[in-house]
Amino acid sequence: MVKIFIDPGHGGMDSGAVGNGLYEKNVTLQIARRINEILLNEYSGVTTRLSRTGDQTVSLSQRTNAANAWGADFYLSVHINSGGGTGYEDFIYPGSGTPTTTYQTNIHQEVMKLVDFVDRGRKQANFHVLRVSNMPALLTENGFIDSSSDAAKLKQTDFIDRIARGHVNGLVRSFNLQKKLSGGGAYRLKTGTFANETHQRIAAERLRSFSGWIVHEVSDNGLRLLTGSFRTRAHAEIAKRRVVNEFGWVVHIVEDN
Ligand SMILES: [Zn+2]
């Protein structure tokens, strides 16, 4: 399990920067929650913790203590800039080597692909959360709250979503996270074996067009198909009956862990 500590900047009594009707603490929480949601819904092998999940006051030491005690693999701090500029930049602790520099490059590039912010570059700064965290750490500054054009973007849910997805795509590249099969359900279908890879491939194509599910061709004590993602065993049973009726294969329900 890759452990990602997500730190929405500020909160509670500390509103962070304020401008154009926005509070930094609220925007950072929106972005952080969305990063968390995408990671947990769409990727396997990853677990997360947030420094705060609501509008609480949390000190910088409390944040880094929580990440260090948990033994996070990565510390991701999300902020909004202010002070008369525009665009996106991110920071690592001065003099950090790999893999921190690689993670910064990955996240920087992936965020810039999805948002139309000015690119202010990859930077270094002696910030508490970068200095005191025991693991590779990055602090992102996602636009300027006192820029009317940046703030207008930050007011759009779709734009927040793209910022979050950029961060996630950078984490995916950094930690080689794998997509869940689909939907995030716990139950899947596994077919009986096929005689050879050609039969397996043809069967996979038939099952895809029949069901619309993502179908994986797996080798597991014989050539099989692994597919579907169902929240309950009852849903999996219904799907299994449809597949058996249509194709006459042996189908097992398997449970994800
Ligand atoms: Zn901040």
Side-chain angles (χ1 to χ4, degrees), residues 8 18 88 99 151 188 210 226 253:
V18 180
Y88 171 87
R188 296 169 188 215
F210 172 70
L226 184 64
I253 294 173

Side-chain angles (χ1 to χ4, degrees), residues 10 24 79-80 141:
H10 312 279
E24 181 183 357
H79 286 255
I80 311 299
E141 293 278 7

Side-chain angles (χ1 to χ4, degrees), residues 9-10 14-17 24 28 78-81 139-141:
H10 312 279
D14 169 16
S15 58
E24 181 183 357
T28 60
V78 176
H79 286 255
I80 311 299
N81 225 328
L139 184 147
T140 66
E141 293 278 7

